[in-house]
Amino acid sequence: MSTKNKPYVICHMMSTLDGRITSGTTQDILSDYFDLYTKIEDELSGQAWLCGRVTMKAFATEASSSLAEFSGQIDTPDYLTNSKDNGFFIGIDTKGTLRWDKNTVKLSNVAHEIPLVIVVVEETPVHYSSYLRSKGISYLCAGKESINFGILMEKIKTKLGVHTLLLEGGGNTNGSVLSEDLIDEISLMIVPIILNRTGVPGVFDRQTHEIDVKKFSLFAVTQIEKDCVWLRYKKVE
């Protein structure tokens, strides 16, 4: 894909020394460092965020209620309701499992509410698309059975007007975007703790048995507060 048809994608993540992004339990091991993470996020000046379904659960309502059946036809694959002035918080939900109180998301380091955009596919239940419309929630369709991230990135650039995108998914989302060579930069904040536990998600953790090595070049190292280090890498062309 031409770089003209996609935003500049920065995968911005925080991990332990052993590369873990969660504890794999309900215990939050990274909360003491979140303020530093958001400071770096501000420096990166992204116009939108892209997160996976598991990450998005933190912003959705707790109840996953049944949706009314929709027997009509929806003519357009994409549905956009918001202006481009306040950026976008883009979340993946191809199965239509998440529920929402409103069509915006509030982040602690952003003063205003951020318009919500859901990523769906052609096989996402049509009654979920109808539900999103009823809530005034924008959505983008990018693929048939699973997400084609090339298509998604092109729509994020052309339809949302996003030039710099912060990818902050779970390991599987990050790994899927990486596998399609769509990440331009990796911004990694390493915290001085070790989880020392198997079976826990890492920064890139795509569900595959393939060997898919990607090379990046280090261009900045910054020691920051609380014994943390901020590493920045660019893709090797």
Side-chain angles (χ1 to χ4, degrees), residues 14 30-37 39 189-193 223-229:
M14 168 172 53
L30 300 177
S31 58
D32 289 343
Y33 306 94
F34 189 71
D35 58 334
L36 294 178
Y37 177 79
K39 284 181 182 179
M189 185 184 118
I190 299 179
V191 306
I193 61 176
Q223 183 175 346
I224 53 179
E225 302 169 50
K226 299 182 180 179
D227 296 318
C228 296
V229 178

Side-chain angles (χ1 to χ4, degrees), residues 16-195:
T16 63
L17 285 170
D18 50 344
R20 308 303 184 181
I21 57 175
T22 72
S23 68
T25 69
T26 56
Q27 180 182 352
D28 189 343
I29 59 172
L30 300 177
S31 58
D32 289 343
Y33 306 94
F34 189 71
D35 58 334
L36 294 178
Y37 177 79
T38 56
K39 284 181 182 179
I40 293 173
E41 188 178 71
D42 292 341
E43 289 190 41
L44 295 174
S45 301
Q47 296 166 287
W49 295 256
L50 174 62
C51 300
R53 184 190 60 82
V54 175
T55 304
M56 294 300 292
K57 286 177 67 176
F59 301 94
T61 61
E62 293 185 6
S64 183
S65 57
S66 300
L67 298 178
E69 291 293 331
F70 180 77
S71 58
Q73 182 175 350
I74 295 178
D75 296 328
T76 56
D78 304 320
Y79 177 67
L80 301 176
T81 65
N82 302 105
S83 71
K84 303 175 183 179
D85 296 336
N86 290 328
F88 297 95
F89 199 80
I90 306 166
I92 294 169
D93 188 14
T94 60
K95 303 297 183 184
T97 60
L98 301 179
R99 304 292 180 264
W100 305 94
D101 286 332
K102 53 185 179 179
N103 63 356
T104 57
V105 166
K106 183 67 177 69
L107 299 181
S108 61
N109 59 318
V110 179
H112 57 265
E113 295 276 339
I114 305 168
L116 179 63
V117 180
I118 301 298
V119 181
V120 299
V121 293
E122 291 178 29
E123 294 196 359
T124 299
V126 67
H127 51 271
Y128 188 62
S129 300
S130 175
Y131 164 77
L132 294 176
R133 286 174 176 252
S134 73
K135 292 285 187 177
I137 298 173
S138 300
Y139 59 82
L140 294 172
C141 183
K144 185 173 176 59
E145 297 178 0
S146 60
I147 295 174
N148 181 316
F149 283 97
I151 292 174
L152 176 60
M153 293 302 173
E154 183 171 356
K155 288 189 174 186
I156 289 173
K157 174 75 176 287
T158 60
K159 296 204 170 191
L160 302 184
V162 171
H163 295 279
T164 302
L165 175 69
L166 299 183
L167 172 63
E168 300 183 359
N172 188 50
T173 299
N174 292 344
S176 297
V177 177
L178 180 68
S179 71
E180 296 191 33
D181 290 320
L182 295 169
I183 294 178
D184 301 287
E185 179 181 330
I186 295 172
S187 165
L188 180 61
M189 185 184 118
I190 299 179
V191 306
I193 61 176
I194 297 172
L195 185 61

